[in-house]
Structure formats: structure tokens, C-alpha cells
Amino acid sequence: MLLTIQNLTKTFVGMKALDDVGFELEAGEVHALLGENGAGKSTLIKSLTGAYSRDEGTITLEGRTISPRSTLEAQELGIGTVYQEVNLLPNLTVAQNLTFGREPRRFGIIDGRAMRREAEAMLEGYGLDIDVSHDLGNYSVAVQQIVAIARAVALSGKVLILDEPTASLDTREVEMLFDVVRKLRDQGLGIIFVSHFLDQVFALTDRVTVLRNGRKIVTEKTAELDRVRLIAHMLGRELDEEEENAARRATAGRVGSEPLLSFRNLSRRNYVEPFDLDIHRGEVVGLAGLLGSGRTETAQLVFGVKTTQTGTISDDKGKLGIASPRDAIAAGFGFAPEDRKTDGIIADLSVRENIALALQARRGWARPISRAEQDRLASEYIQKLDIRTSSAEKPVGELSGGNQQKVVLARWLAMNPRFLILDEPTRGIDVGAHAEILHLIRDITAEGMAILIISSELDELISISDRVIVVRDRRHVAELTGSEIASENIVKAIASSGEKEREAV
Ligand SMILES: Nc1ncnc2c1ncn2[C@@H]1O[C@H](COP(=O)(O)OP(=O)(O)OP(=O)(O)O)[C@@H](O)[C@H]1O
Ligand SMILES: [Mg+2]
């Protein structure tokens, strides 16, 4: 056995995050670690790699008992980790990030050329076409994630831990990453793979271990497990598909004819080609496309994050001057962005404060939201979104990743905007909560709120959207409604080349 964990227990103030957990990893296997938000997956990984101290438990690597006290020490012992949020430095170059801490030197001075060469060698086989002398922050989250993996593999080399590495990757990039992971497995690495995407678990992994409420429920061969049983292990109950379908039927025919908002000829050079977009009351419009196709860029123009070079935005009363997010919020727009770390939440503030914050900003600080109202809002959304926290007063930074994501969503919902943009709202959210969030989106649109949703999960877009707009190469290339909304049609629109389209016109 490459790695053995026995009797691992970890307590946070007042709660047992891990209770007597055992885990085994063989060389040359990909082992999925699964469970709902808050089940203890990240805590297990952090206790294994010394990021957290453990109360009890032994760790054996290649027959030797180890006890790393920091992730650095774990790395030196051979255990490399890539967490669900990229933990590299965006202001350094790709090469600096890759060689950080062991830069090649000549005469005591960092040798830039050798550094770049080394970085390029480290990235070989990962299928990235990037310039290692550019700042890491210039590249998409996806590319940053892959760079982080390359660094971890190069530095550790025995065990690679991936904590939701694919949460922000599109289908093509996931395939690319999987090829890399399979190659590493065939070279004899043991890989621990945490993901909420069950398709990926079935496609990639050899064995599965399920955690629930800090306890190990089961370890099984992936090939001997079916989806329904796996979900039952995770939830401790079975998912009700009837409910899901009923909710879906109930959303039909709610779209009015007069648009709530009209975006005309919006564009920004080298960003998004000119597009028109009408949004109706109670409508869910999905934006489909590959990562980097212009989906997020579209949302940013609509919300005033980036200024437009052409175009107008209006509602039924006339033109809206939207030159900044502040203007957009004043006009009743909301935008829950993809990267919760930079735009989403304030880790030190409590769940209650985080939920109340945006609403307070909109109202103006002259009219403070009373403590009673904050408490009411917090408990309403903790319940509605099933946010797993011991209390509304817990700092958001202490919640699990998926539960932090729910707090971001709660904050925007609490503002009750007439138009809400959701960029990857279910990224990092487990199966149970996933369905809850989709239900919630349906409920709020039934009350008239309009939604623009960006999601890399086609099934999700298809099930929730009244209309789907396909974006490719920074252009809106297709619009599908009703029965046209099918994965076949979306994939076709995403894949068809610009050439063919011009011929067709
Ligand atoms: N630093 C911390 N302080 C206090 N409690 C914590 C801390 N880190 C995690 N917890 C608690 O431990 C439990 C397990 O959290 P963990 O992050 O391991 O979940 P997870 O399985 O990774 O979930 P997710 O899928 O949402 O990432 C949660 O109840 C969480 O609130
Ligand atoms: Mg986690």
C-alpha cells in the first residue's frame, strides 16, 4: 500500500469534522473521495498534509509512519496538493510560480532563461499553449489550475491530491486534465480525486471512498458501483427524481412578451462582438459555450464591470445609464460572480454579516439594517439553501467550500434584484444542494425575477433555461428556445466552425 490513514479524528471547536476515519491509497490508482458539502473531504486532506493538526490518527507512506506538520513538509515527503481554489500568486509569472522556492541561479542570481526553460519542461505533456514569462493572473482559472497541478507533480511525485480541480474547467479542458491524470497514474502515482461531478468520478477513478458527517461510509471499486447506490451512500437517502421533473413542468409558459430589459448592440473591442439581448420577467436565459468563449465577458458588459464601446441598455421606462456595477445594482441588477474568493465573500465576517452586506450597501449606510432583520435574513437563507453551519455567527471562512458558495448566492438573493446574473452558481456544490439551488432558481423566477445563468454543465443549463444563447469565439452564434434546447443542438453550435456559418449566411 502506498498510503494508509488509520483512525483519523479531527475536532473543531464544538464539532467533530472527522471521526475515526480510515483510508488507503495504492500506487497507480485514482481514488475518489466523495461526500456532501461539509462531509469532511477537505479536512481529511488538510489533516493528511499537515495543513491542520489532527487529534488522533496515523499516516503511513510506503511503510513509514509520517507526520508532516506543514504542506511544505508533506510535499517534501512526496504528497502534493492542489486545492479547489488556485493557491498560486497571480502577480508572478507562470515560470516564477512553477519554480518558486527553488529558482535556478547563476552566480547567486536568479537565472531567468533557465527558469523559463525549466518551467516549459514542467508544463510539457499538459497540452497548454501559454507563455511562461507572462503573469499567471492573465490566464483563465482553468490554466492556473493546470499550472498548479504541474507544480505539485514536479515537487512531490508520489501522491497527488486534487481537491475539486475540475470545478471551473470546461469539457475539453477536463478531458485534457484527465489525460494528464491517467498518464500520472500509469507512471505509478497514487491520486486522490475530490469532485462533485459523478460523471467524472465514473470516467476517471478506480475506487471510491464516501464520507458522510465526518465518518467513512464505504470504499468500493468504481466499476462495481452504480450511480443510484453511490448517491444513496452520500446522502444517506435516495434523490427524488419525481420532484425534479414536477418542478420543471411547472416553469413552462411564464415568460411575458414585453422584455423587462433590452440590451442593444452591446460590444467591446477584443472582448465581445456586438450582440442584442432581451430579458423577460421570470425568464431564465442560459449562456452556453466553452470557457473563454465570451460568456463571462458578456455578463461583465451587461453588469457594467467593463465599459461598453457601443450599445444601449433600457427597460420599459427608457434608457438606463449603466457604466459601473454600482449603476447596475442601483438599476436592480445583481451579479454573483464565478470566483467567490475575490468577489464573493469576506472570510472573517459571519454568515449573517455576509448575507446582509450587499443589501446594506444597496440601501446606503445611512439606513442600517437592524440586527433583528439581519438575523431573520440569515436564518431564512440558511434554511432555504441548506447552508451547513453551526450558527449564523460562524465566520464564513470556516465553512466548507460549497457552503461558502451558497452564502454568496444568499447574499444576492437577499437583495431581491429584478435581474440576477449567476456565473457558475453550482460550481463546487454537491448533488443534494445542487438540486436545491435549481429549485430555488425556479421559485424566484416564478415571483418574476429574471435570471441570466452561465454554466459549464449542459444538463443543468438545459433543465433550467427557457432560452439558451450559445457563445463562441466572443460572438453570440445561436439562440435556442423550447424543444430546440437539447444538448445535441448546443454542442453542434459550440463546435461548428466559423467558416461553415459564413457559408450558411
Ligand atoms: N477551519 C475550520 N474551522 C472550523 N470548522 C471548520 C474548519 N474547516 C472546516 N470546518 C468544518 O468541518 C466540516 C467539514 O468541512 P470540509 O471543508 O472538510 O468539507 P468538504 O467535505 O470539503 O465540503 P465541500 O464539498 O463543501 O468542500 C464542516 O462542518 C466545516 O464547517
Ligand atoms: Mg472541500
Side-chain angles (χ1 to χ4, degrees), residues 8-140:
L8 183 60
T9 295
K10 170 74 189 171
T11 315
F12 293 110
V13 193
M15 65 119 16
K16 237 181 200 176
L18 292 175
D19 187 1
D20 196 22
V21 171
F23 181 83
E24 290 189 333
L25 180 70
E26 289 184 64
E29 83 163 329
V30 185
H31 195 136
L33 187 58
L34 302 181
E36 288 186 275
N37 295 134
K41 305 178 295 292
S42 296
T43 303
L44 185 146
I45 285 161
K46 288 176 182 166
S47 308
L48 164 64
T49 57
Y52 287 164
S53 63
R54 55 203 136 85
D55 306 344
E56 267 174 71
T58 49
I59 303 168
T60 319
L61 181 68
E62 293 180 321
R64 269 199 322 139
T65 301
I66 59 165
S67 204
R69 275 155 303 171
S70 68
T71 48
L72 195 67
E73 211 180 309
Q75 203 166 65
E76 280 160 4
L77 289 164
I79 305 174
T81 311
V82 175
Y83 285 109
Q84 69 199 95
E85 275 118 19
V86 179
N87 42 12
L88 296 180
L89 302 168
N91 301 328
L92 298 187
T93 66
V94 173
Q96 283 168 331
N97 269 290
L98 281 167
T99 58
F100 187 75
R102 29 168 235 138
E103 298 88 348
R105 286 172 195 269
R106 266 185 93 198
F107 311 118
I109 299 165
I110 291 176
D111 181 347
R113 272 178 54 190
M115 184 196 272
R116 282 194 295 280
R117 234 179 299 121
E118 190 175 317
E120 275 160 11
M122 283 167 80
L123 288 178
E124 209 161 307
Y126 287 84
L128 291 183
D129 183 20
I130 62 171
D131 187 336
V132 298
S133 58
H134 285 180
D135 282 358
L136 182 69
N138 290 345
Y139 293 104
S140 66

Side-chain angles (χ1 to χ4, degrees), residues 330-375:
F333 295 14
F335 184 7
E338 180 183 15
D339 188 351
R340 61 178 168 260
K341 208 169 162 195
T342 53
D343 302 287
I345 50 158
I346 301 170
D348 297 339
L349 293 187
S350 67
V351 173
R352 168 180 57 81
E353 290 165 317
N354 268 283
I355 292 176
L357 199 66
L359 182 59
Q360 182 67 76
R362 182 180 176 187
R363 253 193 218 178
W365 300 94
R367 287 201 300 136
I369 302 174
S370 74
R371 177 61 192 262
E373 196 183 341
Q374 292 186 25
D375 287 339

Side-chain angles (χ1 to χ4, degrees), residues 406-427:
K406 293 192 215 170
V407 173
V408 175
L409 196 56
R411 161 195 282 190
W412 286 106
L413 291 176
M415 287 176 68
N416 196 23
R418 56 177 167 162
F419 172 51
L420 179 60
I421 305 165
L422 300 171
D423 196 351
E424 301 286 359
T426 58
R427 169 183 160 195

Side-chain angles (χ1 to χ4, degrees), residues 197-250:
F197 299 110
L198 299 187
D199 290 343
Q200 297 182 357
V201 169
F202 283 106
L204 184 68
T205 67
D206 303 298
R207 285 198 296 168
V208 169
T209 290
V210 175
L211 297 181
R212 192 167 73 227
N213 295 329
R215 293 211 181 80
K216 182 176 121 172
I217 302 301
V218 76
T219 298
E220 281 195 55
K221 286 209 174 97
T222 313
E224 290 168 6
L225 201 59
D226 69 55
R227 219 182 155 86
V228 173
R229 213 149 47 82
L230 177 58
I231 294 174
H233 281 318
M234 289 166 61
L235 301 184
R237 67 176 169 86
E238 267 156 52
L239 200 61
D240 192 344
E241 231 161 289
E242 282 292 305
E243 276 176 65
E244 186 81 3
N245 291 337
R248 191 169 162 181
R249 280 193 299 275

